[in-house]
Amino acid sequence: MGKSGNIRLRFTARNDYAFKKLFGTDENKDIMIEFLSLVTNLRKDDFDDVRIENTEQIPHFYNEKTGRLDIKIRLKDDRKIDVEMQNTYFDYYPKRSIFYCSKLIHEHFMSGFQYTQLKKCIAINVLNSPFKLSGKIHSIYRIREKEEQTLLDELLEIHFLDLTKLQKDNLTSLEKWLMFIKTDSKEVRKMLAQGNPVMTKANKVMDIFYLDEQERKRYEAACEYESDRLSMISESERKGLERGSRQKALETAKNLLQFGLSVENIAKATGLNKEDVETLI
């Protein structure tokens, strides 16, 4: 354990590196298949000859060029599944999920193909932040007629799995996997894995982080990358608000100039510099 000393290390599958190691590597296909069959209700034999199309792991250090953090899966009949772990929810996230799912549908559609050759895409979003559009743990969206609820086509299917809505008792098989992903407790994972050979294997994969220094470094790099990413988003939003506030002040100053107010009074009223107001004259 080295540098950890007496500090008790805790790891969670919500970490980008850990999540992709569990569900997005060839050696752990059986773990991915069990989890996704519960989410999608697909039969396990639907996953025969399944291909993981972006098996590269995220880099050891967050400031290196990053690979894709989602997991792209292609079934034997060319249906596609895209899986993402998101620890922070943004209001634009549903639009983002629709966009990426649509891109996957179009991805291998060549000139001369018929529309009947388009293959279904399933997007699976595991969220560790409240999903505001539903009170359910597992929400499934398809394109349906507003009143009659008839399915227009099965081509697009989007799942949202909200870890924050999990209860501790009477968990379904799927909810046990979601709790396995959510928890940072080694003891809880061990308890959840009892009687489930595949989850027992997943638990052993998670235990590697306690034992292997290189794996811990990659896990920690993913944590740092996530922190940096959220900091950059927060800073961009702050700067956007500042730009919006300044633009509003300039528009107000223009209006006040039309009423003949002095530059000095307009500057005081809007918080702008006198030089900024003078440029509007």
Side-chain angles (χ1 to χ4, degrees):
M1 306 293 280
K3 64 180 181 179
S4 61
N6 294 323
I7 299 174
R8 189 178 184 186
L9 297 175
R10 301 180 77 87
F11 299 98
T12 174
R14 290 182 281 107
N15 173 276
D16 286 326
Y17 181 75
F19 187 83
K20 197 164 188 181
K21 189 172 184 67
L22 274 176
F23 302 108
T25 55
D26 286 327
E27 64 266 27
N28 293 325
K29 275 185 180 178
D30 51 342
I31 298 174
M32 175 264 287
I33 290 169
E34 171 145 332
F35 176 61
L36 294 188
S37 64
L38 289 169
V39 175
T40 61
N41 283 325
L42 293 172
R43 301 186 308 273
K44 289 188 178 180
D45 57 13
D46 286 326
F47 291 89
D48 290 345
D49 302 319
V50 66
R51 286 166 284 169
I52 302 171
E53 297 199 331
N54 55 335
T55 56
E56 76 277 7
Q57 293 292 343
I58 62 176
H60 297 193
F61 302 101
Y62 68 91
N63 59 344
E64 293 179 7
K65 183 179 179 181
T66 58
R68 291 179 62 104
L69 299 182
D70 61 338
I71 302 168
K72 288 177 63 176
I73 296 159
R74 185 185 290 265
L75 304 182
K76 60 183 178 180
D77 61 0
D78 285 335
R79 283 178 292 176
K80 306 177 191 83
I81 302 176
D82 187 79
V83 188
E84 282 196 83
M85 177 71 234
Q86 287 290 330
N87 284 291
T88 305
Y89 181 84
F90 298 99
D91 289 338
Y92 60 75
Y93 198 66
K95 289 183 175 64
R96 179 180 178 274
S97 187
I98 294 168
F99 175 74
Y100 280 116
C101 199
S102 300
K103 280 182 65 178
L104 279 182
I105 292 171
H106 183 265
E107 193 173 43
H108 295 95
F109 192 71
M110 304 294 183
S111 177
F113 279 18
Q114 298 181 9
Y115 290 114
T116 54
Q117 293 175 275
L118 286 169
K119 297 297 182 179
K120 181 176 183 176
C121 175
I122 302 172
I124 298 172
N125 306 281
V126 183
L127 305 173
N128 190 46
S129 190
F131 181 55
K132 301 175 183 178
L133 302 180
S134 172
K136 298 168 61 178
I137 294 172
H138 184 190
S139 307
I140 306 172
Y141 292 85
R142 300 186 179 104
I143 303 173
R144 293 184 177 275
E145 202 283 328
K146 183 176 179 181
E147 294 180 356
E148 297 179 348
Q149 291 297 300
T150 50
L151 185 66
L152 180 65
D153 194 277
E154 65 166 16
L155 196 61
L156 182 70
E157 181 176 299
I158 301 178
H159 296 246
F160 292 94
L161 298 151
D162 188 342
L163 301 182
T164 70
K165 295 184 175 78
L166 285 170
Q167 304 297 317
K168 292 183 178 180
D169 302 318
N170 300 318
L171 298 175
T172 65
S173 296
L174 173 58
E175 288 167 358
K176 286 180 180 178
W177 273 105
L178 296 177
M179 185 63 77
F180 185 95
I181 293 168
K182 178 181 180 179
T183 187
D184 64 357
S185 168
K186 186 176 183 179
E187 291 74 21
V188 170
R189 283 194 296 269
K190 184 177 180 181
M191 179 190 67
L192 289 166
Q194 290 178 0
N196 185 332
V198 179
M199 195 178 289
T200 297
K201 177 182 175 179
N203 195 33
K204 290 178 180 177
V205 174
M206 290 300 299
D207 282 347
I208 291 174
F209 295 117
Y210 293 90
L211 305 172
D212 188 298
E213 184 178 356
Q214 284 300 111
E215 289 293 278
R216 281 201 305 280
K217 285 181 178 178
R218 293 166 187 166
Y219 180 100
E220 290 163 3
C223 289
E224 292 175 358
Y225 171 80
E226 178 70 8
S227 295
D228 277 15
R229 187 180 71 89
L230 291 176
S231 295
M232 286 188 289
I233 290 171
S234 177
E235 180 67 9
S236 296
E237 290 178 342
R238 183 187 66 79
K239 288 181 177 178
L241 288 171
E242 287 178 356
R243 286 193 296 269
S245 178
R246 175 175 169 78
Q247 186 60 37
K248 187 174 181 180
L250 289 169
E251 291 173 0
T252 301
K254 284 182 184 179
N255 293 331
L256 293 176
L257 281 169
Q258 293 176 3
F259 288 100
L261 270 70
S262 68
V263 169
E264 290 77 8
N265 286 335
I266 292 174
K268 288 179 182 178
T270 61
L272 295 169
N273 297 323
K274 288 196 294 183
E275 292 78 9
D276 292 329
V277 178
E278 288 171 348
T279 61
L280 302 174
I281 298 174

